[in-house]
């Protein structure tokens, strides 16, 4: 007879999510399908998606141009090694340089990788042409990715003590504070790097005045201007690139998110005078693969079609007006942002509660700060979907106010 007391404890049943590394508090939902502004979970529930993979799915979920590009290119060629040219790499590089006014493109797989490349390119340029200058001035509250160097470049307070020691050579100043940038410049300074709109920080814009003055200052001092357009690029603000609003051109720009419309694709785009990598300095197995590059071409062709960006401006204006009205009705604060990258100041630390309750009612929105909501719908969002989103949010804010 076996003693029950000595019997080995029954092994706990594996949970459905156990094999997925636990790196963020995910709700217990499993998404299985998406189309346009809508996602469907494994229980068949539908959600109006105003996160869109964190501003990634610029054409919405599974849009026809991306489906076609993937199917067509997968039949032809998926990867032929970055050591060879391929036609899609050439086509996308041409499109990006033609539309940006910059000259050369290195294709990568994530925003952090593109930014890491931008920092390396600036340091290489500093070594070659600026007596070894290497420091990059970045902005408090800025966000540039999750590699060690891009975390070091970011100005996220929660990361200050994380993964020490940080990569050296980053000096932080406040956004829109030109005297602070000037004061931080030394003979070691090689570049200033920033987002035209700080997205992860909660949607805070660099003013057009600041960007223009910064462009003049960096030119005057022989320092590179790097714009991280990973969130603001590819039509998100109503122009193809955020810097167009200020009428400037950076020396280096990075793109990701919308460029791939949902697939992993990023780009480091630079002025010809800065392109100084020697062979072997930069690369990556998947960089410039034709499958992803074909998607990037399809996205750019779609976003630059006549009327596309005008519609983003119109939708952004309509959305902003509706948010202002809601803010007035529910005692919230300012509406920040441009185009279809918008935030609402709730004036109270209820943003997570709002996002959680909205999700139970079929609406996905993001809370980048305790007191703010961020909205990053598909650039193809309709006025009706904006109305639906406002109605759900209105109900959620009303219910929270009533306790
Ligand atoms: C401005 C900015 N830069 C860089 C990144 C990092 O991009 P990725 O997550 O593709 O590495 C992000 C991501 O949110 C971003 O918003």
């Amino acid at each position: 007879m076996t003693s029950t007391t000595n019997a080995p404890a029954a092994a706990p049943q594996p949970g459905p999510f156990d094999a997925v590394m636990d790196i963020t508090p995910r709700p217990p939902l499993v998404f299985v399908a998406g189309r346009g502004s809508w996602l469907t979970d494994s229980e068949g529930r539908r959600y109006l998606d105003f996160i869109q993979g964190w501003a990634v799915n610029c054409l919405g979920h599974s849009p026809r141009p991306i489906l076609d590009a993937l199917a067509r290119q997968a039949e032809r060629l998926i990867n032929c090694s970055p050591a060879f040219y391929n036609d899609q790499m050439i086509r996308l590089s041409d499109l990006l340089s033609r539309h940006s006014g910059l000259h050369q493109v290195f294709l990568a797989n994530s925003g952090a990788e593109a930014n890491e490349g931008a920092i390396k390119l600036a340091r290489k340029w500093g070594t070659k042409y600026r007596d070894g200058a290497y420091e990059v001035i970045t902005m408090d509250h800025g966000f540039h990715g999750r590699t060690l160097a891009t975390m070091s470049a970011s100005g996220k307070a929660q990361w200050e003590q994380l993964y020490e020691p940080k990569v050296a050579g980053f000096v932080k100043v406040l956004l829109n504070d030109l005297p602070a940038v000037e004061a931080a410049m030394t003979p070691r300074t090689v570049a200033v790097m920033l987002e035209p709109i700080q997205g992860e920080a909660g949607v805070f814009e660099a003013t057009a005045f600041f960007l223009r003055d910064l462009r003049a200052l960096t030119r005057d001092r022989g320092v590179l201007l790097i714009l991280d357009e990973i969130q603001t690029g590819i039509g998100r603000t109503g122009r193809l690139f955020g810097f167009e609003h200020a009428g400037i051109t950076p020396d280096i720009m990075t793109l990701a998110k919308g460029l791939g419309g949902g697939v992993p694709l990023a780009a480091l785009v630079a002025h010809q005078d800065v392109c100084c990598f020697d062979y072997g300095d930069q690369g990556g197995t998947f960089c410039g693969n034709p499958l992803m590059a074909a998607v990037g071409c399809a996205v750019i062709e779609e976003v630059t079609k006549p009327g596309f960006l005008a519609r983003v401006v119109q939708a952004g204006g309509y959305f902003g007006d509706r948010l202002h009205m809601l803010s007035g009705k529910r005692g919230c604060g300012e509406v920040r942002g441009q185009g279809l990258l918008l935030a609402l100041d709730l004036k109270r630390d209820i943003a997570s509660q709002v996002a959680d309750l909205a999700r139970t009612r079929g609406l996905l929105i993001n809370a980048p700060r305790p007191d703010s909501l961020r909205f990053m719908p598909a650039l193809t969002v309709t006025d009706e979907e904006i109305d639906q989103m406002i109605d759900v949010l209105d109900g959620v804010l009303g219910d929270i106010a009533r306790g």
Side-chain angles (χ1 to χ4, degrees), residues 225-306:
L225 178 62
I226 305 174
L227 287 184
D228 176 340
E229 293 255 13
I230 283 160
Q231 194 155 145
T232 50
I234 317 299
R236 178 60 47 192
T237 67
R239 297 282 182 93
L240 190 57
F241 306 114
F243 65 71
E244 293 174 38
H245 294 283
I248 60 159
T249 310
D251 300 297
I252 300 176
M253 162 175 72
T254 52
L255 297 166
K257 291 191 184 282
L259 178 61
V263 305
L265 177 65
L268 160 60
V269 189
H271 192 281
Q272 60 199 5
D273 296 348
V274 186
C275 296
C276 61
F277 280 137
D278 289 313
Y279 291 162
D281 288 349
Q282 179 67 340
T285 315
F286 295 117
C287 295
N289 74 79
L291 187 64
M292 297 302 112
V295 174
C297 293
V299 168
I300 299 284
E301 279 162 3
E302 207 55 32
V303 173
T304 55
K305 274 188 179 155

Side-chain angles (χ1 to χ4, degrees), residues 110-113 115 143-145 195 200 228 230-231 256-257:
S110 73
E113 190 186 7
N115 280 339
F143 184 87
H144 299 295
E195 303 151 84
E200 295 300 304
D228 176 340
I230 283 160
Q231 194 155 145
K257 291 191 184 282

Side-chain angles (χ1 to χ4, degrees), residues 7 40 106 130 135 203 212 230 235 242 256 260 282 310 317 327 372 386 401:
T40 306
F106 172 78
R130 290 293 312 280
E135 265 177 16
V203 188
R212 280 196 280 270
I230 283 160
Q282 179 67 340
S327 178
S372 297
I386 292 171

